[in-house]
Amino acid sequence: LLTRAALALSSKAGDDSNIIAAQRLLAGLYRDLGNFAKAEKHLQIAVTRAETCDLAVEQVLCHLSSGWHHYTRAALDGDLPMEAEAAFRLAVALARKLFLPDQAAETCLGFIWCSLLKRDSAGAERSLDEYQQEYAGIEHYSLSAMSKLASARVAHALGRTCAIASYDEARVFAQHHGELGCESDAWAGAGMVHWHAGFRSEAEECFRAAIRCARRCSPTRKLLVLCSV
């Protein structure tokens, strides 16, 4: 309701940047609610308006939103994240051109998740190395939570013994900064490590914690965690 009110006000004022921002927010909200058709509709409106108005920063943000939208759909449907990767490539090229380090860093994290979804552990590790070399100095708690989780996921995919400690570090950081999505994923990842190591009771405890966190996030986050469980 608040986002629709913002959209109405910005439309009345002809404020293109805030019209696009409201459309992106609506797309994200519908994605979190699992209504991907409505999410895509709002996303397309945002992308088209950003391109028509030649608002470069808004184009970066729209491509980022599109990348995560398509990644989430691919993860839930068991598909390859080709559309997500294409959107992230558009985002990172423009973000680097405009010297937007936070957005460029987020696209790098997006590539890690896409590689993991494709079971390309080597590709995920390369993207993680790139992130750590180029963007480790960025002080942004949301990106930091995502990068800690990415490190744990890559270590897990490569079968490294540090995976459980990395998941714990990601979880504690996410809890401290209120990043429920990363916290739920860290719990789920730790549960998988315990499960495959034969520690079933510890795994189930982690899975229950992951589901509790995911329920506090959104229906789509809960579905993603349940897929992992």
Side-chain angles (χ1 to χ4, degrees):
L1 288 171
L2 286 168
T3 308
R4 288 198 177 282
L7 178 59
L9 283 170
S10 53
S11 297
K12 186 177 179 180
D15 185 343
D16 289 314
S17 291
N18 280 312
I19 290 170
I20 295 163
Q23 293 287 4
R24 282 194 296 103
L25 275 171
L26 285 169
L29 287 163
Y30 279 119
R31 182 191 69 207
D32 286 344
L33 291 169
N35 191 332
F36 290 98
K38 278 194 174 182
E40 196 142 3
K41 175 185 172 185
H42 287 287
L43 208 71
Q44 192 54 53
I45 292 170
V47 170
T48 301
R49 193 165 193 121
E51 290 174 348
T52 302
C53 299
D54 198 24
L55 296 172
V57 174
E58 290 299 336
Q59 288 178 46
V60 173
L61 296 173
C62 286
H63 291 316
L64 263 175
S65 295
S66 184
W68 291 117
H69 169 84
H70 289 299
Y71 167 82
T72 304
R73 290 208 70 171
L76 288 173
D77 295 340
D79 292 334
L80 292 174
M82 310 306 290
E83 290 177 285
E85 288 180 313
F88 285 135
R89 278 193 291 271
L90 289 171
V92 75
L94 195 50
R96 285 171 174 164
K97 182 179 178 182
L98 297 171
F99 304 102
L100 301 173
D102 286 10
Q103 287 71 33
E106 189 176 341
T107 59
C108 197
L109 291 168
F111 286 126
I112 296 171
W113 258 262
C114 287
S115 293
L116 290 167
L117 192 59
K118 296 188 297 184
R119 301 184 185 278
D120 178 8
S121 303
E125 187 175 30
R126 284 194 299 274
S127 294
L128 180 61
D129 287 343
E130 181 185 345
Y131 179 90
Q132 291 173 338
Q133 289 169 15
E134 294 190 37
Y135 308 113
I138 292 176
E139 294 185 6
H140 187 303
Y141 67 83
S142 187
L143 288 175
S144 294
M146 290 173 68
S147 69
K148 289 179 187 297
L149 181 62
S151 295
R153 292 280 297 272
V154 171
H156 186 180
L158 293 169
R160 292 176 178 163
T161 55
C162 65
I164 194 70
S166 296
Y167 276 127
D168 287 343
E169 182 185 353
R171 174 180 54 78
V172 170
F173 185 91
Q175 282 177 333
H176 181 71
H177 292 282
E179 289 289 310
L180 275 172
C182 284
E183 184 185 348
S184 64
D185 282 355
W187 276 119
M192 285 187 278
V193 174
H194 284 310
W195 183 269
H196 292 131
F199 301 115
R200 301 302 172 89
S201 60
E202 291 89 341
E204 289 171 358
E205 186 178 339
C206 289
F207 290 150
R208 283 192 290 269
I211 293 167
R212 281 197 302 271
C213 283
R215 280 177 179 153
R216 293 168 59 200
C217 289
S218 70
T220 295
R221 173 62 59 184
K222 182 184 172 185
L223 279 176
L224 286 167
V225 166
L226 286 173
C227 285
S228 297
V229 173

